Amino acid sequence: MPSVRSFTVLPALPDSLKDLETIANNMFWAWNPECSELFERIDNKLWAACDHNPVKLLGSVSQPKLESLAENQGFLHEMRRAADKLKIYMESPTWYEKTCTKHSKPTIAYFSAEFGIHECLPVYSGGLGILAGDHLKSASDLGVPLVGVGLMYQKGYFRQHLNIDGWQQEVYVDNDVYNMPIELIRKQDGVPLTISVDYPGRSVQAQIWCVHVGRVQLYLLDTNVECNSPGDRMITSSLYGGDRELRIRQEIMLGIGGLKALLAMGVEPTVCHMNEGHAAFMALERVRLLRASKGMTFDEALEATKAGNVFTVHTLVKAGLDEFSTDLMDKYFGNYFPHLGINRSQFLSLGRILNDDETESFKMPVLALRLSAYTNGVSALHGQISREVWGNLWPGVPTDEVPIKSITNGIHINSWLAPALGDLYDRYLGPNWSQEVYDKSVWDNVDQVPDEELWSIHQRCKEQLVVFARKHLKAQMKRRGTYEAELSKADEALDSEVLTVGFARRFASYKRGDLLLRDEARLIRMLSNTERPIQFVFAGKAHPRDTEGKDIIRNIVHFAQNESVRRRIIFLEDYDIDVARAMVQGVDVWLNNPRRPMEASGTSGMKAAMNGVLNLSTLDGWWCEAYQPGNGWSIGAGETYQDPDYHDMIECQAMYEILENEIIPLYYERGADNLPRSWISHMKACIQQIAPQFNTHRMVADYTCRFYNPAAARWRYLAAEAMTRAKAFSQWKNAMRKNWSEFQIKDVVMGVVGEDYQGELHMKRPQIKAGAEIQVRACVVLGEVSPEQVSVELYHGTVDTWGNIQDGEAVEMQFDQANGEPGHFWFRTSIPCVKTGQHGVTVRVLPKHPDQVNPHELGLILWESPA
């Protein structure tokens, strides 16, 4: 191979157009139409051909065109307006500065394997990445001091094409990094800054790209540098591609390399947030760095770093959980764990549910859960299911007390809202509505929007979707080699006057993309109804190795080829942010029918709802919290069934019933003015009830107030005075573990307050009247541990037929007196008997320390044993 000397060619912009470069290199333009429309105005066809990439556009437009624009006063005026908007945005006071004044400003590092900010930066695959991108945008809008950390994939996720049989084909396209809105981090001498990460027998170098996302920086690591071997240059080759060995290499680079990159740039994170378990090795690297710099034991360093770690768990589907064999862990961490000050068995137990099971693989979510003080699921139901799934990590702890909270996902409204609707909201909600999206009172003004205006804008969005879909279909047909005479059929697809249902997401089997097809004859009758027709737009990708998901796509494509319905049902290839934006803004109904409770949250329906699109969904994920009669429809009532085929059949029939008897009649119910006023009323209720709650401004504010600020304060507290508090807390935990086996609940006596007693309290009868008060005393043996270091609790509630307490509540018992024997102490409390029925009480003991985030940190709990 010849030696190649490379260099970068930059656009030669006239001086009067220099602001275009500033605007193009900050992704702020991606959620501000005034900025993106500026680039579209330069050359709308070229803008589309460049995948809406302003940097590529500026490098592709002809020099004469640039010179002409430099003299165009109207364009220059719009450019200055956009530049001023960006400048004001960057300098304005923020929500964080106004709200969190009592907190020292931390640095929050947000680690994610993918980030979906815009289609021109394809380092995302689906919902996880879109959520991460929206998280960064809201952090920027709110002024939260956050940086993103990810990988700069050479090919990103695959591009999807369907062959003539409807089978998904994957095509990987190289990212042209030098024509993207990103910049390479360089040292003062102009040389790219690189970091080094140890792999078996070698070190791998990575350079760092920076994406400016408003006020937030996103740093992406790239191993495609000349000094690496060809194999190591492929570590950041593609997203979710390759085998398990490539995956562990990527996750080492993301977690360990990501933390090293921040430190190399002088960014020392106070709080590290792991979006899913892919980056969990970061937590180990924090421990290693503390041990090396502070001379701490593993347990001491763990206490300090754990305090500043946040973990968000997502998928509960086994195929989506990262786990690695013992052989791979030995290969890649055999030389690493000694630096942690622990042995191989201790190291592997960090990623196992059963510490001593040598056959169990190393699970990244388990590692993240063990090394994070703050953990959450992404909806209320998902939090509940996560507590059930991962509860074994806290043996003996009631499921509802497992320390996994829930912070429901949201979406970045300005990124997904139709620009015309944004203008409408400006007029009726006030010019500052987008800064106050989580304020419910702002959205009450949706009632003031005239029905005619809302419907007119919605219809315009629908017309734009039809144009978009036809163009997309024609391109698909050309790729498959369709005859020219057949291409005209694409121009007949869809009708903007027809009720339109959208379904777009990852095609995993539990999402049941073809549930609608279970009764094809009934569906065909709906599609071919000439008086009240309905039409469907599908889009989405299956994982390259998910044969079942690919089959679902093929089923839909085959059905759509039926000559009697081909105008009414289409599948759009290569689902990405651009396709999603067109669909959520242009359909009438958003369909989502996952098999409960498999959906973690789901955010596509939120994007649709912000645009007045009504949801039709099973009660799973976010829809459990959002659904109210009048703002959409629920498929079923949240039931679950043992037989999946029966489950599918029941919910498919329920979906048909809702479509035929509620949705279709409501849509076509028109008055003399041809307006579907009842439908519009539902649209307004949908926007009012969903917009203020299911947005990332609310979500990021929740993370900030509930996790980030407390984690930062706890990190600073434990790290103060040369880590003496972290060391002391670790020593207390070790002492508690050492003494725990000696603890006993020796005696429990109880009685009804007010009755005559002789000696100790004694329950005279098993039946008492409602309104009575029960008093309980417990004698607990603590050995050398003092009473203030434990929490003795009375756990009570109704009991089931097996005598188990259901939905129990804990009441802390107060220290009463020493028993006279060394280490024996009495505790006392009382509870009122309010509800009738069968009730039960038991006593338990938990460790207690002012530095605990939650009482189950140690995983120690002692329950009263049967007599």
Side-chain angles (χ1 to χ4, degrees), residues 282-498:
M282 173 279 302
L284 295 176
E285 181 67 1
R286 287 192 93 181
V287 171
R288 187 193 69 78
L289 289 171
L290 260 190
R291 273 182 45 77
S293 62
K294 304 293 183 182
M296 304 169 78
T297 67
F298 172 80
D299 288 340
E300 291 168 349
L302 174 62
E303 287 312 317
T305 57
K306 184 177 180 179
N309 289 340
V310 175
F311 173 51
T312 297
V313 63
H314 287 268
T315 183
L316 298 175
V317 181
K318 183 174 175 57
L321 298 175
D322 273 339
E323 48 187 289
F324 301 110
S325 68
T326 301
D327 289 343
L328 273 180
M329 294 305 296
D330 283 339
K331 179 177 179 179
Y332 283 90
F333 286 90
N335 293 325
Y336 185 90
F337 67 73
H339 295 288
L340 299 175
I342 54 177
N343 60 36
R344 176 180 179 273
S345 177
Q346 289 171 311
F347 173 73
L348 291 175
S349 71
L350 293 172
R352 288 172 168 166
I353 296 174
L354 302 175
N355 294 352
D356 301 325
D357 184 356
E358 285 297 318
T359 64
E360 185 181 346
S361 60
F362 190 95
K363 298 175 176 60
M364 296 298 279
V366 173
L367 176 65
L369 286 165
R370 290 196 191 279
L371 270 61
S372 300
Y374 302 86
T375 61
N376 71 286
V378 291
S379 69
L381 177 61
H382 180 247
Q384 174 190 327
I385 301 301
S386 297
R387 288 188 286 274
E388 294 172 4
V389 168
W390 301 112
N392 288 343
L393 295 176
W394 294 270
V397 175
T399 299
D400 60 350
E401 292 184 26
V402 168
I404 300 176
K405 308 300 181 184
S406 65
I407 294 179
T408 301
N409 284 345
I411 61 106
H412 186 257
I413 292 181
N414 277 4
S415 293
W416 300 100
L417 188 68
L421 267 180
D423 294 340
L424 186 74
Y425 292 169
D426 284 344
R427 293 202 304 277
Y428 291 98
L429 276 59
N432 296 323
W433 70 267
S434 62
Q435 300 167 35
E436 302 165 348
V437 293
Y438 43 82
D439 183 350
K440 188 178 183 304
S441 64
V442 169
W443 296 95
D444 291 339
N445 293 322
V446 168
D447 282 334
Q448 306 305 314
V449 176
D451 289 357
E452 296 83 355
E453 289 193 53
L454 181 58
W455 187 247
S456 173
I457 289 173
H458 176 68
Q459 280 300 100
R460 197 155 65 236
C461 291
K462 199 153 132 187
E463 290 162 5
Q464 291 167 354
L465 170 62
V466 171
V467 172
F468 177 92
R470 289 174 177 173
K471 183 178 178 181
H472 214 79
L473 276 177
K474 190 169 287 188
Q476 292 174 196
M477 294 167 75
K478 284 182 178 179
R479 274 196 298 270
R480 292 180 205 149
T482 304
Y483 294 116
E484 196 68 31
E486 290 287 303
L487 291 178
S488 61
K489 290 184 178 180
D491 294 325
E492 300 172 1
L494 306 182
D495 182 339
S496 60
E497 296 299 321
V498 171

Side-chain angles (χ1 to χ4, degrees), residues 49-107:
C50 292
D51 291 326
H52 309 138
N53 177 349
V55 173
K56 188 174 182 180
L57 173 78
L58 294 179
S60 303
V61 70
S62 68
Q63 203 63 34
K65 178 69 173 180
L66 291 174
E67 298 294 344
S68 172
L69 288 170
E71 302 297 326
N72 186 322
Q73 294 304 312
F75 182 84
L76 293 174
H77 173 71
E78 292 303 310
M79 182 189 69
R80 284 191 290 268
R81 279 186 59 200
D84 287 345
K85 183 169 184 178
L86 173 59
K87 185 175 185 292
I88 292 168
Y89 174 87
M90 296 295 287
E91 296 174 354
S92 296
T94 66
W95 169 88
Y96 189 90
E97 291 167 346
K98 297 173 185 175
T99 308
C100 304
T101 54
K102 296 180 181 178
H103 300 272
S104 300
K105 202 169 187 178
T107 297

Side-chain angles (χ1 to χ4, degrees), residues 658-673:
I658 294 169
L659 285 168
E660 292 171 338
N661 300 319
E662 295 188 41
I663 295 176
I664 294 174
L666 184 70
Y667 180 83
Y668 287 105
E669 180 188 316
R670 308 292 171 103
D673 55 5

Side-chain angles (χ1 to χ4, degrees), residues 264-276:
M265 293 182 291
V267 179
E268 187 168 350
T270 320
V271 177
C272 291
H273 183 173
M274 294 165 277
N275 186 40
E276 192 51 285

Side-chain angles (χ1 to χ4, degrees), residues 310 374-377 404-408 698-711 853:
V310 175
Y374 302 86
T375 61
N376 71 286
I404 300 176
K405 308 300 181 184
S406 65
I407 294 179
T408 301
R698 185 274 311 155
M699 182 191 81
V700 171
D702 278 356
Y703 275 113
T704 301
C705 297
R706 294 175 57 187
F707 286 2
Y708 295 160
N709 285 340
V853 171

Side-chain angles (χ1 to χ4, degrees), residues 551-590:
D551 266 333
I552 293 172
I553 292 174
R554 183 165 57 178
N555 289 344
I556 295 168
V557 173
H558 280 191
F559 180 80
Q561 291 170 346
N562 186 320
E563 189 63 27
S564 65
V565 300
R566 64 174 180 78
R567 291 186 58 220
R568 297 283 186 246
I569 183 166
I570 64 170
F571 190 99
L572 300 179
E573 291 179 8
D574 204 27
Y575 184 49
D576 66 358
I577 289 175
D578 191 33
V579 175
R581 192 186 300 115
M583 289 184 63
V584 299
Q585 293 174 5
V587 300
D588 299 300
V589 174
W590 196 257

